Amino acid sequence: MNPFIEWGEQGLRALVQLLLNPFYYIGIAFIVLQYRRQISLERKLFNSRLHSFLGEAWRTLLWGWLGGLMASVLMILFGVTLPFNAMLLIWAIAFLLMLARVRYFCIAYSVGVLGILHFIALVAPVAEEWPVAGWVFHTALSVNMPSLLALAGVLHLVEGLLMRWQGSRLAMPLFLESKRGKLVGAYHLQGFWPVPLFLLVPSQSGMQLPWNPWFIESGSAAGWGIIAFPALIGFTSSTLSRLPAWKARFDSTILMGYSIIILAGAIGSYYWSPFILPASLLVILLHEGMIAYSNRKEESANPMYVHDSRGLKILAVLPQSPAAELGIQAGEIIHKVNQIKVATKEEFHQAMQANSAFCKLEIINLEGHSKFVSRAVFAGEHHQLGLILCPDDKAMYYVEQRPVSIFAYFRKKKNGLRSHRSSASS
């Protein structure tokens, strides 16, 4: 049979497997819940929404497929393999971890835990005979751990690229309470993608590979087939000191460096099997260290989204609003409105009413220079031209940052949202 036809048939079977796999739709449902929660918070905080549910959903699926195909090509070339039982165990571990915190759903933690189980089964073969847990240890022992570590490294490389390309677009403005009890503006960057992966699996009647993959020993299988493995990748980060685009680039650079280290660990464990345990621990510990480093950088920086003596700081701009048409950006400062200097939201509204049909704004841009924009004002438009200003003491709500479990996505109550006035008066 023509090898191209054979590869096509294998790929088509894998695609059907993916579309029939409930885990793929569970990942999509999780993302739907995440966007539902985000848009609900936007409406509560700003009486508007900055993201479209349907628009973000189809983009997420599209970018997930592009990232999955890119990762699949790399992993097939490297010879990354994954038995079906191992796929089930990875998802089971991920779901258990997600009950504690949503971010533990990341495949790095599942792979790290599976590597630890693999090492236990290796040094204590009796674990395979234990009731119930025996299947877990037997499955963990059957996994090609260097191959699985390479899977984690490649997926985080793809995640880093998606963060760089899409991170700032997915950013959500927030009101947070600083360590001094003052409300400040911030951005929460969070994105998840359901990624379909196509991996090699041993098959008695499968095809032969025309190259020598790195992680597959010659003659280890009679032939090879393709299996579809749905994965969920994503990131979460916050910034109160930088623009979302800068923060996304910074975190993506760290993440891609992390992926390279994990790939190096996969190669090291392939050539020296005792390195499997350190490499598995490294997957988890480095991931936690990466998050802690990013958070420390934010804690030591001065808040960017606060008003100052020059005027009102802009936290965000609603899409397709008058302010967006004028080219106004987050982080800029409204210095004057209709030639009237403004320092509070009340003064901003009064200055806007000075000329109900036209407005002229003096803006201090990100470089600290003044720019002037003007526009006619029409009935029915946003009362602040689509500007979301940084919070002041009269803001009604802010978001309390704390670890989020999966159950928070099913609650009608806005998880983590607190009333500023009630908390200030209590």
Side-chain angles (χ1 to χ4, degrees), residues 1-16 76 198 207 224-226:
M1 181 183 292
N2 188 307
F4 293 103
I5 296 177
E6 192 173 6
W7 277 90
E9 289 181 352
Q10 290 280 357
L12 185 60
R13 290 194 200 100
L15 178 61
V16 173
I76 288 177
F198 299 92
M207 54 193 174
W224 298 94
I226 298 178

Side-chain angles (χ1 to χ4, degrees), residues 35 38 50-51 55-56 59-60 63 163 165-172 189 193 244-245 248:
Y35 282 133
Q38 177 173 332
L50 286 85
H51 298 88
E56 298 303 334
R59 285 192 186 93
T60 296
W63 281 102
M163 181 190 299
W165 295 333
Q166 296 288 295
S168 61
R169 189 182 57 78
L170 297 170
M172 180 179 70
L189 287 73
W193 296 272

Side-chain angles (χ1 to χ4, degrees), residues 46-331:
F46 312 119
N47 296 317
S48 185
R49 64 180 186 180
L50 286 85
H51 298 88
S52 165
F53 179 82
L54 291 178
E56 298 303 334
W58 79 259
R59 285 192 186 93
T60 296
L61 291 175
L62 176 61
W63 281 102
W65 270 91
L66 291 175
L69 292 175
M70 180 168 53
S72 298
V73 170
L74 288 174
M75 289 185 287
I76 288 177
L77 290 176
F78 280 127
V80 174
T81 62
L82 187 70
F84 181 74
N85 285 346
M87 180 184 73
L88 293 179
L89 185 55
I90 288 173
W91 273 91
I93 294 171
F95 275 116
L96 290 175
L97 294 175
M98 185 175 60
L99 297 179
R101 291 190 186 182
V102 170
R103 68 180 180 85
Y104 290 161
F105 198 61
C106 173
I107 195 170
Y109 300 98
S110 304
V111 169
V113 170
L114 192 58
I116 295 170
L117 295 174
H118 178 95
F119 179 80
I120 293 173
L122 197 63
V123 298
V126 69
E128 294 186 71
E129 302 175 4
W130 294 346
V132 183
W135 175 85
V136 174
F137 286 105
H138 176 76
T139 302
L141 189 61
S142 68
V143 173
N144 183 333
M145 278 309 302
S147 181
L148 194 57
L149 289 167
L151 170 65
V154 170
L155 282 179
H156 280 85
L157 178 62
V158 171
E159 182 183 321
L161 292 172
L162 290 176
M163 181 190 299
R164 182 167 293 251
W165 295 333
Q166 296 288 295
S168 61
R169 189 182 57 78
L170 297 170
M172 180 179 70
L174 297 174
F175 294 166
L176 300 179
E177 188 176 48
S178 69
K179 290 181 288 186
R180 297 181 179 179
K182 180 181 177 181
L183 291 192
V184 299
Y187 272 92
H188 185 62
L189 287 73
Q190 180 170 281
F192 293 95
W193 296 272
V195 175
L197 301 175
F198 299 92
L199 306 177
L200 295 173
V201 62
S203 173
Q204 292 296 326
S205 58
M207 54 193 174
Q208 297 299 316
L209 301 179
W211 70 94
N212 295 320
W214 198 332
F215 294 104
I216 295 178
E217 296 181 3
S218 179
S220 59
W224 298 94
I226 298 178
I227 188 174
F229 170 52
L232 186 69
I233 63 174
F235 70 94
T236 178
S237 181
S238 297
T239 181
L240 48 79
S241 63
R242 300 289 184 178
L243 293 172
W246 187 96
K247 180 65 172 176
R249 287 194 300 270
F250 176 80
D251 285 349
S252 70
T253 301
I254 297 176
L255 188 57
M256 287 188 281
Y258 167 83
S259 69
I260 292 172
I261 295 174
I262 298 308
L263 285 171
I267 295 170
S269 62
Y270 173 75
Y271 287 108
W272 190 52
S273 59
F275 193 65
I276 289 176
L277 179 61
S280 300
L281 292 172
L282 203 63
V283 170
I284 298 174
L285 297 177
L286 271 184
H287 202 278
E288 287 294 296
M290 178 174 58
I291 294 171
Y293 174 72
S294 180
N295 291 339
R296 267 201 313 271
K297 291 283 287 185
E298 285 298 324
E299 291 172 0
S300 62
N302 294 322
M304 175 182 182
Y305 301 103
V306 293
H307 303 305
D308 60 33
S309 59
R310 295 174 294 174
L312 298 174
K313 182 68 70 72
I314 298 168
L315 176 60
V317 178
L318 295 177
Q320 300 177 349
S321 65
E325 294 175 8
L326 291 171
I328 301 175
Q329 302 177 44

